[in-house]
Amino acid sequence: MGNRLSKIYTRTGDDGSTGLGDGSRVAKDSLRVAAYGTVDELNSTIGMVLAAEGVDDAVREALTQVQHDLFDLGGELCIPGMAMVEDADIERLEHVLDGFNEPLPPLKDFILPGGGMAASSCHLARTVCRRAEREVIALARVEDVRPQAQRYLNRLSDLLFVIARVLARASGHGEVLWQHERRRKPKA
């Protein structure tokens, strides 16, 4: 952090604008601000997962690394032209995802968000991650965004889904399966 904030409010955003990391000012509702703001929200929801009881050390380590990556990604999105998230970060996510997914039984049904507080929080993080991905895609349609940002978020949402499964099973609540057959009507 180049400049330490000694005063939290500056009043410079009272006109509906905010400063990007390169010093330029944009509207607070711009696509760029929405994208890095949602990445920040995602980071906060992962913090909720980490604050829940029953999160084992392997999950805690993986998600703490993700929080650091998301701070980097937010910085990349806040400073046009900045490159912080690399292919190696995406490959690391894939490796971690494979490790958590390997012992899980194959999916035969859709899973509803649930399975205890930690798992439910992880499902919430997954949905926020998908929104962040959509916002990065929208931004990339009108401004330059490195493809690693989108790829990282896409892979992260998969990892969060798998970790939610792991957490639901570890909690003893188990996964909540969608009961698609409840809609079938008896034949007349």
Side-chain angles (χ1 to χ4, degrees):
M1 222 170 137
N3 297 322
R4 297 272 176 202
L5 294 176
S6 58
K7 190 172 184 180
I8 299 304
Y9 64 90
T10 62
R11 296 187 178 113
T12 57
D14 290 351
D15 65 354
S17 69
T18 191
L20 296 180
D22 65 359
S24 63
R25 295 201 64 82
V26 297
K28 286 185 177 183
D29 63 352
S30 73
L31 292 174
R32 184 167 295 279
V33 175
Y36 73 71
T38 305
V39 167
D40 186 34
E41 181 183 350
L42 170 58
N43 209 338
S44 296
T45 60
I46 290 174
M48 291 175 56
V49 176
L50 291 170
E53 291 183 24
V55 177
D56 74 23
D57 289 342
V59 170
R60 186 168 302 284
E61 182 180 332
L63 292 181
T64 300
Q65 179 60 53
V66 164
Q67 283 192 303
H68 287 281
D69 292 346
L70 289 174
F71 208 85
D72 292 341
L73 178 57
E76 180 172 323
L77 293 169
C78 181
I79 304 170
M82 175 64 75
M84 295 182 80
V85 174
E86 300 297 334
D87 291 335
D89 298 314
I90 299 160
E91 291 165 9
R92 186 189 71 251
L93 281 186
E94 291 172 350
H95 177 75
V96 170
L97 194 159
D98 290 342
F100 282 124
N101 193 50
E102 194 274 324
L104 293 174
L107 282 174
K108 296 179 181 172
D109 295 295
F110 288 105
I111 296 173
L112 299 179
M117 186 55 76
S120 296
S121 296
C122 202
H123 279 294
L124 177 61
R126 173 186 54 79
T127 63
V128 173
C129 186
R130 285 291 188 202
R131 180 162 34 94
E133 181 184 10
R134 290 189 302 270
E135 291 178 359
V136 167
I137 290 167
L139 174 62
R141 285 196 177 113
V142 296
E143 294 186 43
D144 288 336
V145 176
R146 295 174 60 247
Q148 287 86 350
Q150 181 180 329
R151 288 179 48 227
Y152 184 90
L153 291 169
N154 188 30
R155 212 66 79 250
L156 178 57
S157 65
D158 295 336
L159 174 62
L160 292 170
F161 176 77
V162 167
I163 289 177
R165 292 190 69 199
V166 168
L167 293 171
R169 293 171 159 278
S171 72
H173 289 88
E175 296 171 299
V176 181
L177 301 179
W178 175 50
Q179 299 171 359
H180 56 87
E181 293 163 0
R182 77 187 196 301
R183 293 279 184 190
R184 292 198 177 143
K185 299 188 189 232
K187 293 180 182 181

